[in-house]
Amino acid sequence: MDSLSGFVEKIKYRNEENGYAILSVESGGEDYVLVGTFPMISEGEYITAEGHFQLHPTYGEQLAVETYEIKTPEDSASVQRYLSSGAVKGVGEALAKRIVKKFKNDTLRILEEEPERLAEVKGISERLAMEIAGQIEEKRELRRAMLFLSGYGIRMNLAVKIYQRYGDEVYTLLRENPYRIADDLSGVGFQTADEIARRMGVRADSETRIRSGALYVLRLAVQEGHCYLPESVLRERLTKLLQLEPENLKELLAELQMEKRVVLRRTGEESEDCKVYLANYDRMELHVAAMLGELDLREARPGVRAAEALALLEEETAGPVLDETQRRAVLAAVQSGLLIITGGPGTGKTTTINAIIRCFEAEGAEILLAAPTGRAAARMTEATGREAKTIHRLLEVSGAPSEQNEGENGRESWSSVRFDRNKEQPLEADCIIIDEMSMVDLRLFHALLSAVPVGTHLILVGDSNQLPSVGAGNVLRDLIDSGCLPVVQLTQIYRQAAESDIVVNAHKMMDEETIDLGKRSKDFLFIRQNTVEGVIETMLRLLTEKLPAYVGAEAKSIQLLTPVRRGALGVAGLNPVLQAKLNPPGAGKAEREFAHALFRVGDKLMQIKNNYQRGVYNGDVGILIDINRFTETLTVRFDEEREVEYGFADVEELELAYAVTIHKSQGSEYPAVVIPVFSGPRMLRTRNLIYTAVTRAKKCVVLIGEPSYFYEMVANTKELGRYTGLADRLRELLRQEAEIE
């Protein structure tokens, strides 16, 4: 371990988000460069640091700091140097000199104990004196808090966040209820708070621990896609988390309901097992059902002469362009406030959308098109010839960087995400068409509906057999299953699509028809391999030698899709192998190893969480174009030539994307798709999973592995169930409407 002490001459670079900085430090008459995380450090301060010297290829020798301490200036010269450095706002070199000249070696004590005496110095008012003292005190208290929190294993960056949230109350709060930080702040999990509580002597069976654990389990359930948990499931999961049977759970849940943190809903008059919602999810389900009812139950306005427009369209194309079901969909779209159109690949969803657009355009109507992701929006633009936006862009998002935290009163930080388009400032359109609805979660759907005024036609299009959204809810499936809303299902496969075995076999999966894996096909291939090594070898040969020329695409644009994250055939195992083959190291090609992955310029990367500040969302894919070791940043180019910069501390938002999970591929299309079909958890070997994977391919899909596993997936119709209540809310709304009538 190397160490040095000296004055911070200059802060060459600082990342305000994570505290990473590059410092120029003078020690013993020599200048040194220090790199590391230094929150709240200022020029002029005296630092003692430990770490390891490393030789940067461009910027020379640096001390990579692991631990450091800010020393209090001890003599008048050091105090003057500190004050004149700009560390204290309002104090320049001349004023610092006058302060030290007045109080000499007693300056520091005056600053800390009698700050009002600074007003004795010419040029310092009583107000400025107290501001100076306040700044010095704040920095000292922050450092004290970080030292206190570090004793419980809390990282420096997180310690700063905790102190900024609670201030001096942090000491009392942690002693009284350390679980508050898990409830209020993202980045602090229950386990961290639980460890702090254990060290502070909190009993394992304390009510505070059980309450916090219950909220944590519910938040975790949301991340799994659930909108609520049955009380019995909550109890089971909580018992596993706490390693004890939670006593008085019903009473604690009743208290949380009174505090408006959760909502308890009985599943029936005789049932003891109630639904336990986080309060905001209960509220969203209710609001969504009510808003859908307003859109659907209003009186239809003729407004658009659909029949005439359809006749004109068919005349222009010299014959019928729509089958009877598609015509019915078009007529329903213009006659209803709300319509759901669903169908598998090749059933003419795009043709139907284009016909609906033509009908509205014939009347001069304003139409907006949107999809959940940038990739899906780009596909919609290509298919319609009209601009389509992401739903976030459509709603004009202007919000927060995180969606993971559950805050006070059961509100997640996602709720602080602001959309400029909302109930007060609704979207201005006669018709809004949303594609890839299977990807839309409850939160985003709630935000969308809030911005759709009554009188606007809302058309929702999607394949209900696709995997549900990554976020909580199963919106498209719930809307269809409710039986309360107008739905048109497209089933006919068109001639051009019928020539594709990708389309034909996708429908065979859902219709439970046998698929002949031995058939010679130009676009649906199954290669038998009975070993993991064989699967990987075949996969690499396809990606580098066979498929690029066959489909006319670069190797990096061909996507490997896998059901799992772990193991040799999971994302974690395959990405390094593919990286080495498709983007090997080379002279002048910068790379950097992080805790979770090695990144190299030219790598294909995926954003794995929504970041509203950067404007990048879960599932966005880009190419790494720059790694700057001096500024500790990397730059990724996403679609539309959009370049986004990340600090090294933020790279956990990114992962290699040569191989991605099938879940992450939703809404995307690729020239070709390669899918390993091998052993794995049965819960991840389901029909809708393999169906989703196969339908991502435009020109060719290749499955590699054992046929038995493929047939097992097709036969496994059990989906990963989600606890959602939207369908029931819609039925209840319909029942109430019937009773009123």
Side-chain angles (χ1 to χ4, degrees):
M1 188 80 74
D2 302 306
S3 64
L4 65 79
S5 299
F7 289 97
V8 180
E9 291 282 323
K10 187 175 179 60
I11 299 175
K12 294 184 173 183
Y13 171 81
R14 187 201 302 272
N15 186 318
E16 298 295 345
E17 291 184 10
N18 56 44
Y20 177 85
I22 302 172
L23 313 179
S24 177
V25 175
E26 186 271 321
S27 178
E30 299 286 335
D31 290 331
Y32 296 88
V33 175
L34 277 61
V35 297
T37 303
F38 307 96
M40 299 297 290
I41 200 166
S42 303
E43 293 177 354
E45 292 188 309
Y46 192 84
I47 184 174
T48 297
E50 291 186 341
H52 291 92
F53 279 107
Q54 58 186 23
L55 187 63
H56 191 280
T58 304
Y59 304 106
E61 191 177 56
Q62 301 174 338
L63 180 66
V65 177
E66 297 179 13
T67 62
Y68 75 94
E69 185 179 356
I70 303 298
K71 296 289 189 179
T72 303
E74 295 178 353
D75 57 80
S76 59
S78 297
V79 173
Q80 181 176 327
R81 184 173 185 171
Y82 170 65
L83 292 175
S84 63
S85 68
V88 180
K89 294 179 181 178
V91 180
E93 186 174 351
L95 192 53
K97 189 174 181 179
R98 290 203 298 272
I99 293 172
V100 173
K101 184 178 179 181
K102 173 70 175 177
F103 300 113
K104 299 182 176 54
N105 287 340
D106 203 30
T107 301
L108 186 63
R109 188 193 65 78
I110 295 294
L111 287 169
E112 294 180 347
E113 299 177 9
E114 300 179 82
E116 66 278 359
R117 288 189 59 191
L118 290 174
E120 299 174 14
V121 178
K122 184 180 179 181
I124 299 182
S125 63
E126 289 186 7
R127 180 180 177 181
L128 179 57
M130 299 311 294
E131 287 179 357
I132 293 171
Q135 291 181 58
I136 293 173
E137 176 67 17
E138 182 181 0
K139 290 184 178 184
R140 185 169 61 248
E141 285 302 316
L142 173 59
R143 289 166 186 152
R144 186 165 74 93
M146 287 194 296
L147 184 63
F148 170 76
L149 293 168
S150 67
Y152 299 104
I154 297 176
R155 304 185 312 274
M156 191 175 296
N157 291 350
L158 188 55
V160 173
K161 192 174 185 178
I162 292 172
Y163 183 76
Q164 289 174 339
R165 173 69 171 82
Y166 301 112
D168 292 342
E169 296 178 6
V170 66
Y171 309 103
T172 305
L173 179 144
L174 288 181
R175 292 186 180 101
E176 292 180 353
N177 181 13
Y179 295 99
R180 273 279 304 279
I181 63 174
D183 293 345
D184 295 349
L185 295 173
S186 63
V188 186
F190 176 83
Q191 285 85 353
T192 299
D194 203 33
E195 177 60 21
I196 295 171
R198 186 190 64 79
R199 295 186 184 186
M200 290 184 164
V202 176
R203 296 195 334 271
D205 62 348
S206 73
E207 288 189 2
T208 301
R209 183 172 186 249
I210 296 172
R211 278 168 53 98
S212 181
L215 290 172
Y216 174 77
V217 168
L218 290 171
R219 291 194 296 271
L220 206 59
V222 166
Q223 294 179 25
E224 295 171 3
H226 305 296
C227 294
Y228 71 88
L229 285 180
E231 186 181 334
S232 59
V233 176
L234 172 60
R235 179 179 291 277
E236 180 184 339
R237 293 189 177 192
L238 187 55
T239 298
K240 186 176 180 180
L241 174 70
L242 302 178
Q243 294 296 297
L244 55 83
E245 180 70 27
E247 299 291 335
N248 304 318
L249 181 59
K250 288 186 179 294
E251 291 80 357
L252 289 174
L253 291 175
E255 290 177 9
L256 287 170
Q257 178 163 249
M258 292 181 63
E259 297 169 12
K260 299 183 178 179
R261 304 290 302 273
V262 305
V263 174
L264 309 178
R265 295 197 176 273
R266 297 291 170 190
T267 57
E269 294 184 3
E270 305 297 324
S271 177
E272 289 290 323
D273 197 15
C274 64
K275 301 175 180 177
V276 185
Y277 283 87
L278 289 170
N280 54 335
Y281 278 90
D282 177 74
R283 185 171 57 252
M284 279 190 293
E285 279 194 350
L286 283 172
H287 288 176
V288 164
M291 289 186 288
L292 287 170
E294 290 179 354
L295 288 173
D296 179 47
L297 299 177
R298 69 179 181 83
E299 292 185 10
R301 296 180 302 135
V304 178
R305 295 186 293 273
E308 291 88 336
L310 279 174
L312 181 62
L313 177 63
E314 292 172 350
E315 183 179 330
E316 291 175 352
T317 55
V321 294
L322 304 176
D323 64 31
E324 189 56 39
T325 306
Q326 290 173 317
R327 289 179 63 88
R328 182 159 53 85
V330 175
L331 292 171
V334 301
Q335 293 170 354
S336 306
L338 173 71
L339 177 67
I340 300 164
I341 301 173
T342 184
T347 57
K349 293 192 294 294
T350 298
T351 301
T352 306
I353 290 173
N354 281 324
I356 292 169
I357 292 172
R358 291 287 298 275
C359 289
F360 278 100
E361 286 182 340
E363 298 293 327
E366 182 71 22
I367 304 167
L368 294 176
L369 308 179
T373 67
R375 292 163 296 162
R379 286 174 53 200
M380 198 178 188
T381 297
E382 183 181 352
T384 63
R386 297 158 179 83
E387 182 187 16
K389 299 179 179 179
T390 64
I391 298 174
H392 288 88
R393 279 187 60 206
L394 183 73
L395 299 178
E396 299 175 18
V397 64
S398 59
S402 173
E403 63 173 346
Q404 301 301 321
N405 181 45
E406 180 78 26
E408 294 179 346
N409 299 319
R411 296 190 299 268
E412 293 184 347
S413 65
W414 201 100
S415 65
S416 67
V417 173
R418 296 179 302 279
F419 292 105
D420 291 340
R421 294 293 182 177
N422 47 42
K423 189 175 183 180
E424 287 70 36
Q425 290 184 295
L427 294 164
E428 298 175 3
D430 300 295
C431 174
I432 299 172
I433 303 176
I434 306 297
D435 200 9
E436 295 287 356
M437 263 300 298
S438 63
M439 300 178 65
V440 177
D441 63 24
L442 182 66
R443 279 194 171 277
L444 189 56
F445 194 49
H446 180 270
L448 173 67
L449 290 179
S450 299
V452 178
V454 175
T456 298
H457 297 261
L458 180 62
I459 300 159
L460 309 175
V461 185
D463 185 350
S464 60
N465 292 319
Q466 298 281 354
L467 291 167
S469 59
V470 174
N474 197 354
V475 173
L476 180 60
R477 172 56 60 188
D478 282 353
L479 298 183
I480 296 171
D481 289 349
S482 73
C484 303
L485 303 171
V487 178
V488 176
Q489 184 167 6
L490 306 178
T491 56
Q492 182 176 330
I493 305 174
Y494 284 86
R495 182 176 62 81
Q496 187 174 357
E499 296 174 357
S500 166
D501 284 328
I502 295 174
V503 173
V504 171
N505 287 338
H507 283 273
K508 284 184 176 182
M509 290 180 197
M510 305 315 299
D511 296 337
E512 300 185 0
E513 297 179 19
T514 302
I515 297 173
D516 181 8
L517 296 180
K519 176 187 175 182
R520 293 182 63 86
S521 172
K522 66 177 187 294
D523 62 2
F524 190 97
L525 310 173
F526 195 101
I527 301 175
R528 296 172 182 256
Q529 287 290 346
N530 56 13
T531 66
V532 171
E533 294 76 16
V535 172
I536 295 174
E537 183 182 343
T538 304
M539 175 189 66
L540 292 174
R541 188 169 63 253
L542 285 168
L543 290 173
T544 57
E545 300 174 16
K546 304 292 185 182
L547 283 176
Y550 187 70
V551 299
E554 295 182 353
K556 285 184 183 178
S557 65
I558 297 168
Q559 191 61 59
L560 195 144
L561 301 179
T562 176
V564 297
R565 293 197 59 83
R566 298 180 180 179
L569 294 178
V571 168
L574 288 173
N575 266 316
V577 175
L578 294 170
Q579 179 191 46
K581 195 72 173 178
L582 300 178
N583 188 34
K589 189 185 291 185
E591 61 180 49
R592 177 71 153 76
E593 188 166 6
F594 299 96
H596 69 302
L598 182 144
F599 289 166
R600 182 177 297 129
V601 168
D603 276 338
K604 182 178 177 182
L605 302 180
M606 175 180 281
Q607 177 80 16
I608 58 172
K609 64 183 289 187
N610 289 342
N611 190 312
Y612 299 97
Q613 286 185 335
R614 290 194 175 96
V616 286
Y617 305 102
N618 192 352
D620 285 354
V621 175
I623 300 295
L624 178 59
I625 61 172
D626 183 59
I627 299 176
N628 190 321
R629 289 181 175 271
F630 185 71
T631 61
E632 298 279 332
T633 59
L634 52 82
T635 305
V636 181
R637 180 179 291 136
F638 291 96
D639 298 333
E640 304 174 359
E641 302 300 310
R642 188 165 50 95
E643 296 183 1
V644 180
E645 186 176 274
Y646 296 79
F648 280 5
D650 304 319
V651 296
E652 291 183 354
E653 295 184 11
L654 297 166
E655 68 179 22
L656 294 171
Y658 300 101
V660 302
T661 63
I662 297 169
H663 284 85
K664 290 289 189 182
S665 73
Q666 291 174 262
S668 298
E669 275 190 349
Y670 311 99
V673 164
V674 178
I675 310 167
V677 182
F678 220 72
S679 62
R682 180 170 173 76
M683 61 185 294
L684 292 176
R685 298 202 308 269
T686 62
R687 178 185 295 175
N688 66 339
L689 197 74
I690 192 66
Y691 172 87
T692 299
V694 166
T695 55
R696 299 307 89 202
K698 293 172 67 175
K699 296 181 178 180
C700 184
V701 59
V702 184
L703 301 105
I704 311 170
E706 288 277 7
S708 60
Y709 289 122
F710 173 80
Y711 289 124
E712 183 182 334
M713 293 182 79
V714 173
N716 184 7
T717 60
K718 185 178 180 180
E719 299 180 23
L720 291 176
R722 292 191 170 187
Y723 296 113
T724 64
L726 182 57
D728 289 336
R729 304 290 177 104
L730 286 165
R731 296 187 193 104
E732 178 64 18
L733 180 70
L734 187 67
R735 186 187 65 78
Q736 291 175 355
E737 292 286 338
E739 288 178 355
I740 293 173
E741 293 176 1

